[in-house]
Amino acid sequence: MSKTKTIVWPKLVLFGDSITQVSFQPNGWGSEMANKLARKCDVVNRGLSGYNSRWGKILLPRLFPNKPSENIVGVTVFFGANDCALEEMKAKQHVPLDEYSDNLKEIAQYLAAVGVSSDRVVFITPPPLHEATWEKECQLKGFPLNRHNAVAGRYAQACVEAAGQCGVRVLDLWTLMQKDGQDYTVYLSDGLHLSEKGNQFVSEHLWGLLEARLDSLPFILPYWGDVDTQDPESSLLSD
């Protein structure tokens, strides 16, 4: 067989904490992205449970090598739920608000430097926190409540402002999930992480930001009915 050219698949990279890591579960928002982009784009999960924006920023050169990344058609940056852990609780994951904002900006700047332009990046704010439910989870693990919804809101606002300064799009979950006084607890499984309905919410709103750019990507490799059965190589190995 003659030498053939390797197919370079476009990539959508999901970068964040546990809310991203578990997004490939059944009905998760990451798996929904993968389903929508099947045969068009690889959806790569780079969610890291428990991580914050400080650690994410440090990891960038290992996850996005310092070379042009034309095949990366999108990156979601979804940190904040751990950054906003209360400093007074001596939370290991806590990152001060100003540093969180700077980290997001530096992540966007690094991505731009390796060829991922700002129009391919989407920041996602932390979702709202339901304190009573999350407090029960904390107590089961032997420690007091370590997050407040109002604090999560300040980090969400910082994320929105950083996105504006970087020229990237933003999905403001904290605001949207509480819009018009709706019961946002339906979007949360334990007061912090997403329920099935919360995953659906993220999927629908994120796709609204990505669809215009990614839905038009062509199918990779020909439709089976278009394969030349007498000479399949001519269909499958041509550029």
Side-chain angles (χ1 to χ4, degrees):
M1 181 180 293
S2 60
K3 186 176 181 180
T4 57
K5 186 177 180 180
T6 301
I7 298 172
V8 178
W9 292 70
K11 293 180 181 179
L12 169 64
V13 182
L14 313 181
F15 182 38
D17 54 33
S18 63
I19 302 177
T20 297
Q21 180 175 311
V22 301
S23 70
F24 274 21
Q25 64 188 340
N27 300 312
W29 63 272
S31 61
E32 286 297 308
M33 293 299 104
N35 182 56
K36 289 179 181 295
L37 293 167
R39 283 282 292 278
K40 293 183 174 185
C41 177
D42 283 343
V43 179
V44 180
N45 190 324
R46 292 294 178 264
L48 302 159
S49 179
Y51 277 52
N52 56 32
S53 64
R54 179 187 296 158
W55 302 341
K57 183 187 73 172
I58 292 169
L59 275 173
L60 284 172
R62 301 190 70 185
L63 302 179
F64 302 90
N66 189 20
K67 60 183 178 180
S69 303
E70 291 88 353
N71 67 315
I72 296 181
V73 294
V75 178
T76 61
V77 180
F78 194 171
F79 289 104
N82 294 317
D83 299 68
C84 73
L86 300 176
E87 182 178 16
E88 58 266 30
M89 302 303 298
K90 300 188 185 301
K92 182 177 179 180
Q93 298 157 307
H94 171 77
V95 172
L97 185 61
D98 288 345
E99 182 191 342
Y100 169 70
S101 176
D102 289 342
N103 289 341
L104 292 179
K105 291 180 225 179
E106 290 182 41
I107 288 171
Q109 290 164 3
Y110 178 90
L111 291 172
V114 297
V116 183
S117 55
S118 60
D119 60 320
R120 287 183 271 169
V121 178
V122 177
F123 286 175
I124 306 176
T125 76
L129 177 84
H130 189 250
E131 294 171 17
T133 306
W134 181 242
E135 185 172 24
K136 293 177 183 177
E137 294 293 319
C138 292
Q139 290 172 345
L140 288 173
K141 298 175 183 177
F143 50 81
L145 179 67
N146 58 11
R147 288 166 173 80
H148 290 158
N149 190 39
V151 176
R154 291 198 285 273
Y155 281 72
Q157 182 59 35
C159 179
V160 171
E161 292 173 359
Q165 293 168 15
C166 295
V168 307
R169 290 167 294 171
V170 63
L171 174 53
D172 185 358
L173 293 181
W174 192 88
T175 298
L176 288 173
M177 286 182 169
Q178 298 179 93
K179 188 176 181 181
D180 299 325
Q182 64 181 302
D183 179 15
Y184 67 89
T185 63
V186 299
Y187 300 126
L188 305 172
S189 63
D190 58 5
L192 172 65
H193 301 94
L194 300 176
S195 64
E196 182 172 331
K197 191 167 184 178
N199 275 280
Q200 182 181 10
F201 186 97
V202 174
S203 175
E204 290 175 355
H205 284 80
L206 180 58
W207 186 242
L209 295 175
L210 296 177
E211 182 176 13
R213 182 178 184 88
L214 302 187
D215 193 47
S216 60
L217 290 172
F219 271 7
I220 296 175
L221 296 173
Y223 172 66
W224 71 268
D226 294 332
V227 175
D228 184 342
T229 57
Q230 300 301 313
D231 183 16
E233 288 85 355
S234 66
S235 301
L236 301 177
L237 300 181
S238 60
D239 291 334

